[in-house]
Amino acid sequence: MSMPVIVIHGGAGAIARSAMTPSKEHSFRQALTEIVAAGQQILATGGSALDAVTEAVRLLEECPLFNAGHGAVFTHEQTHELDASVMDGQTLQAGAISCVNRVRNPVLLARAVMEHSEHVLFTGDGAEAFALAHGLEMVAPDFFSTEDRLQQLHRARQRGGMMLDHDGAAAASGDPIDPDNKYGTVGAVALDAQGDLAAATSTGGLTNKQVGRVGDTPLIGAGCYANNRTVAVSCTGTGEMFMRAVTAYDISARMEYAGMTLAEACNNAVTRLAELGGDGGLIAVDYLGNIALPFNTGGMYRGYGHAGQPPQVDIYR
């Protein structure tokens, strides 16, 4: 029997410590703690790693503090386009969706694709038709909107870019990671008592992104991967660079073919990401229950919990 463990992330980015207030820090830490604990509870009662990561990401999607589901960022056209993926390390089955804006919990749709389709990836109208056919909860597109995200879009439009430098916006919003220089993907990885691994990832993408842009999140092997022989990985950061480096699978390959430890493989992958000009981080758990949470930005919302131990959460480097 394995020692169950779950690891989550809520995005990485530039630090703006001056923006942190005690109440805001408490909100982030409490949300991370509660979501880790929910995953731990599933694992503690014999639940699967797949169930644990799905529920953890669903809860992250429900929390407006994070850029996935309710609280997702806006595209250049002031719309939402959500992406998600799920992978089962035992079977190597996977499901993913992109560019949806009416499915309340994209991660549940990705799970449905994995379990009820012969395909791996659905997008746009086809993905939403699949959601309707399988009884997933649908919402109006404005369900995902928040005033903070709208103001973030306005600032991005004024600057003419997707990723902005520090401009005092963090202090105005109270977000400890500069909201205009934050990579808002959320994700979870887990190992259950049966020794099975799983990973799930979800995102609203980049503020002010072009309509139709898809990053690494729904691409198996880039932003999400799980294999019982090696590791489960969920990434957050400059999606295009994770895609070019096939980062999530690269970690597995380094472990399987080069004999690297989890820490070595993850650190090498993040170094490679930086060499390509990418920023971000990742979370990973290997088949032995070792965990890694490396990132090359100023901070990353993150947390983990082993069976029978209190959740551990952090924000800064």
Side-chain angles (χ1 to χ4, degrees), residues 49-65:
L50 188 60
D51 286 344
V53 299
T54 302
E55 177 62 7
V57 171
R58 187 192 71 81
L59 292 171
L60 286 161
E61 291 175 342
E62 291 290 311
C63 182
L65 293 172

Side-chain angles (χ1 to χ4, degrees), residues 6 49 55 78 83 140 144 179 185 190 200 229 245 304 313 317:
I6 185 166
E55 177 62 7
Q78 200 168 315
D83 309 330
F144 304 107
T185 307
R229 297 179 60 174
Y304 66 89
V313 303
R317 179 169 293 283

Side-chain angles (χ1 to χ4, degrees), residues 18-292:
S18 61
M20 177 64 82
T21 65
S23 62
K24 197 69 174 181
E25 179 172 0
H26 176 74
S27 295
F28 279 101
R29 291 184 179 276
Q30 182 177 24
L32 291 168
T33 299
E34 290 176 353
I35 293 168
V36 170
Q40 284 180 294
Q41 179 62 25
I42 291 171
L43 296 173
T45 54
S48 69
L50 188 60
D51 286 344
V53 299
T54 302
E55 177 62 7
V57 171
R58 187 192 71 81
L59 292 171
L60 286 161
E61 291 175 342
E62 291 290 311
C63 182
L65 293 172
F66 304 106
N67 171 25
H70 179 57
V73 300
F74 286 91
T75 70
H76 181 72
E77 301 300 326
Q78 200 168 315
T79 58
H80 298 286
E81 292 185 342
L82 312 178
D83 309 330
S85 60
V86 173
M87 188 164 185
D88 182 347
Q90 180 186 24
T91 63
L92 299 187
Q93 289 184 313
I97 55 92
S98 71
C99 297
V100 301
N101 65 8
R102 294 189 300 135
V103 181
R104 176 168 182 150
N105 293 112
V107 71
L108 297 185
L109 177 53
R111 175 83 179 258
V113 170
M114 183 186 76
E115 294 181 333
H116 304 297
S117 168
E118 62 185 4
H119 305 301
V120 171
L121 175 62
F122 281 86
T123 192
D125 292 344
E128 295 193 339
F130 189 89
L132 283 167
H134 288 81
L136 273 73
E137 183 176 357
M138 309 297 284
V139 294
D142 63 2
F143 168 82
F144 304 107
S145 305
T146 66
E147 182 61 27
D148 283 348
R149 297 303 190 194
L150 184 59
Q151 293 305 314
Q152 192 175 334
L153 173 65
H154 293 333
R155 291 192 297 272
R157 283 174 167 175
Q158 290 170 1
R159 292 293 185 89
M162 290 185 294
M163 307 304 293
L164 305 183
D165 294 329
H166 294 285
D167 62 357
S173 71
D175 192 334
I177 294 181
D178 183 348
D180 295 335
N181 198 14
K182 180 177 72 175
Y183 308 100
T185 307
V186 306
V189 295
L191 173 72
D192 61 31
Q194 290 70 46
D196 294 325
L197 293 167
T201 312
S202 181
T203 190
L206 302 175
T207 297
N208 203 34
K209 67 181 180 179
Q210 292 298 305
V211 169
R213 178 265 184 187
V214 178
D216 66 302
T217 292
L219 301 184
I220 301 304
C224 184
Y225 189 74
N227 185 334
N228 274 12
R229 297 179 60 174
T230 51
V231 66
V233 182
S234 176
C235 301
T236 174
T238 314
E240 283 71 12
M241 305 310 173
F242 283 92
M243 293 157 70
R244 294 171 187 170
V246 200
T247 301
Y249 176 72
D250 183 51
I251 292 170
S252 176
R254 289 176 185 272
M255 294 176 66
E256 185 168 6
Y257 305 134
M260 289 187 180
T261 65
L262 176 68
E264 291 170 339
C266 289
N267 290 335
N268 273 272
V270 172
T271 297
R272 176 58 175 157
L273 177 69
E275 291 172 350
L276 294 173
D279 293 323
L282 58 91
I283 55 174
V285 57
D286 70 14
Y287 67 101
L288 297 173
N290 300 305
I291 66 171

